[in-house]
Amino acid sequence: ENYLPSASLKRLYSYFILPKFSETSFVNLALASGILFQSLGISEKDDPLPPATGRSTFSFELYAHSDINDKKLLHENGQVEIDAMFVGKRDGIETLFIVEAKSGNRLKSLSKHKLVYPILSVANKVPLHMPIVPIYLKITQDVGSIHFHIVECIFPDPREATRAINELKIKKYTHYILPMNF
């Protein structure tokens, strides 16, 4: 569906004049325009802050597949990239959203580890009462518009037990079109 931003044109102007977007710019636009809030059911009471991003080395245990849970694998000091991470209130609960963003006009699938590894990297630092929600954001462009394909996923809480990559599942898909020619 077409999306009319809740933010003012002044607030979004700098995005409209960019000659080319990076994946970080796309994520920031999805936040600044309110698209991610709308899709994820997050209240917009506060101005969206720039999300946390990062690349570092992390260690954690996992299973390659839930049917093979007799041998844990150790991801030891391996590099993990987090495209975006932010806290939003949904249904009255502060929730951590972890975003993997990809841009380009080909709609192909995403390797599950691109979402699972960031979750496993930070889970032990997230309070137990705070849900962790993985989001895959695929961005494509047309002449005069940007398409945001937002896939909300679910993943069993890794703070409770060691998890397998295949346990990541799709919960909901939304597609918003942001006109860029106001």
Side-chain angles (χ1 to χ4, degrees):
E1 69 182 76
N2 284 321
Y3 181 82
L4 294 175
S6 56
S8 71
L9 184 58
K10 177 181 174 183
R11 185 173 178 167
L12 300 177
Y13 180 73
S14 58
Y15 294 101
F16 296 137
I17 61 173
L18 279 175
K20 188 173 178 180
F21 281 84
S22 66
E23 288 171 354
T24 301
S25 294
F26 280 128
V27 171
N28 289 339
L29 176 58
L31 284 167
S33 67
I35 283 176
L36 270 178
F37 293 120
Q38 175 74 26
S39 174
L40 302 173
I42 300 170
S43 65
E44 276 190 77
K45 290 182 181 173
D46 300 318
D47 286 343
L49 298 172
T53 62
R55 183 179 306 157
S56 189
T57 57
F58 298 92
S59 296
F60 49 83
E61 292 182 333
L62 71 152
Y63 294 115
H65 196 278
S66 57
D67 291 339
I68 309 168
N69 61 4
D70 59 341
K71 181 165 169 98
K72 290 181 183 178
L73 302 175
L74 176 62
H75 179 86
E76 187 172 5
N77 290 320
Q79 185 169 320
V80 176
E81 181 177 349
I82 299 173
D83 287 343
M85 187 168 51
F86 64 94
V87 173
K89 191 173 262 191
R90 180 163 72 172
D91 299 326
I93 300 169
E94 297 288 347
T95 303
L96 179 67
F97 295 90
I98 298 178
V99 179
E100 172 63 25
K102 292 291 177 209
S103 62
N105 287 332
R106 290 183 45 207
L107 290 175
K108 55 185 208 174
S109 64
L110 171 76
S111 297
K112 289 183 177 186
H113 80 277
K114 291 286 206 169
L115 275 168
V116 172
Y117 281 20
I119 294 167
L120 298 177
S121 297
V122 300
N124 64 349
K125 295 175 180 67
V126 179
L128 290 174
H129 68 275
M130 184 179 285
I132 303 170
V133 177
I135 306 297
Y136 174 45
L137 176 61
K138 175 68 178 185
I139 306 101
T140 60
Q141 287 185 272
D142 278 342
V143 175
S145 65
I146 299 175
H147 295 250
F148 292 88
H149 303 271
I150 303 159
V151 180
E152 179 178 343
C153 300
I154 54 175
F155 188 70
D157 196 333
R159 298 166 291 189
E160 296 174 359
T162 303
R163 300 299 179 184
I165 294 173
N166 72 302
E167 292 181 280
L168 181 77
K169 305 290 182 206
I170 293 174
K171 179 179 178 182
K172 181 177 97 174
Y173 165 77
T174 52
H175 174 201
Y176 288 110
I177 302 167
L178 180 64
M180 294 294 287
N181 51 359
F182 288 98

